Amino acid sequence: MAILNILEFPDPRLRTVAKPVESVDDDLRRLIDDMFETMYAAPGIGLAATQVNVHQRLVVMDLSEDKSEPRVFINPEFEPLTAELGPYQEGCLSVPGFYENVERPLQVRIRALDRDGQPFELVAEGLLAVCIQHECDHLNGKLFVDYLSTLKRDRIRKKLEKQHRQHG
Ligand code: QAP
Ligand code: CO
């Protein structure tokens, strides 16, 4: 297994729209394992392939406290089940050190393929609903900072650019 490099805002590669996975094979499962290792090492609770510069529609997630609930979403899609929005303080491995409230639909239906290529469906609310929407945004080249004011986003961008200049 390997720990992969995580792209950081404002890297333009984070704006790439990912392509659907065409075949759920051993190569893809190796990538999935590397993404879990990368996410657990960070540590994080969700990681989209876009963040490791692989532009395929693939997300890994583990919302447990003890790495006991790994979840894989291949070609994930969601539809809001309610018009009601709620705030959640989001962070992102690609925006390290910054956390801001984002409003999203509170309940969504998720459809995806699992690591064997089998379709599954689930209804999510709470952190799972927030996280899948945040990760699906990555696959479409979108970041949580895009929901903030230009002022807040520019402040975050400048601080991260300065850090990148200081230590590569
Ligand atoms: C996305 O985020 C998420 O700033 C996953 O210094 C987050 O795993 C969805 C992390 C919150 C919903 C709610 C962030 C690690 C991890 C940082 C993450 C940091 C170190 C973020
Ligand atoms: Co993120």
Side-chain angles (χ1 to χ4, degrees):
M1 296 221 288
I3 293 182
L4 308 171
N5 182 51
I6 298 177
L7 302 178
E8 293 187 4
F9 178 67
D11 193 310
R13 292 172 290 184
L14 287 168
R15 300 311 188 175
T16 312
V17 178
K19 296 203 166 75
V21 168
E22 288 189 356
S23 144
V24 181
D25 54 18
D26 286 346
D27 280 346
L28 191 82
R29 281 184 282 268
R30 255 187 292 277
L31 171 63
I32 289 168
D33 290 342
D34 287 346
M35 285 175 60
F36 273 116
E37 192 179 12
T38 303
M39 180 185 78
Y40 286 137
I45 58 170
L47 185 68
T50 307
Q51 294 176 273
V52 294
N53 202 28
V54 174
H55 301 289
Q56 298 194 52
R57 304 191 77 84
L58 167 63
V59 164
V60 301
M61 199 187 291
D62 191 332
L63 306 180
S64 74
E65 305 241 299
D66 55 353
K67 310 181 179 182
S68 62
E69 291 163 27
R71 298 172 186 266
V72 177
F73 301 89
I74 298 165
N75 298 339
E77 292 177 16
F78 71 87
E79 75 180 270
L81 294 177
T82 155
E84 199 189 347
L85 306 180
Y88 200 99
Q89 188 165 63
E90 298 189 18
C92 181
L93 288 170
S94 295
V95 191
F98 296 90
Y99 303 85
E100 295 285 347
N101 272 330
V102 175
E103 299 253 5
R104 301 187 189 267
L106 288 169
Q107 197 186 53
V108 296
R109 184 190 312 281
I110 305 169
R111 291 190 177 85
L113 304 179
D114 67 18
R115 65 180 286 142
D116 301 314
Q118 293 303 307
F120 68 97
E121 202 179 289
L122 63 93
V123 171
E125 50 190 32
L127 182 55
L128 177 58
V130 175
C131 203
I132 195 70
Q133 292 178 79
H134 174 115
E135 303 305 336
C136 285
D137 272 353
H138 277 300
L139 303 179
N140 295 327
K142 188 160 182 165
L143 296 167
F144 85 90
V145 295
D146 298 344
Y147 295 93
L148 309 178
S149 67
T150 310
L151 182 67
K152 275 192 177 173
R153 185 169 52 257
D154 282 353
R155 280 193 188 137
I156 294 171
R157 178 175 54 74
K158 284 178 180 134
K159 286 180 187 165
L160 285 173
E161 281 172 342
K162 185 174 173 190
Q163 285 181 28
H164 297 157
R165 279 197 302 276
Q166 282 172 348
H167 25 272

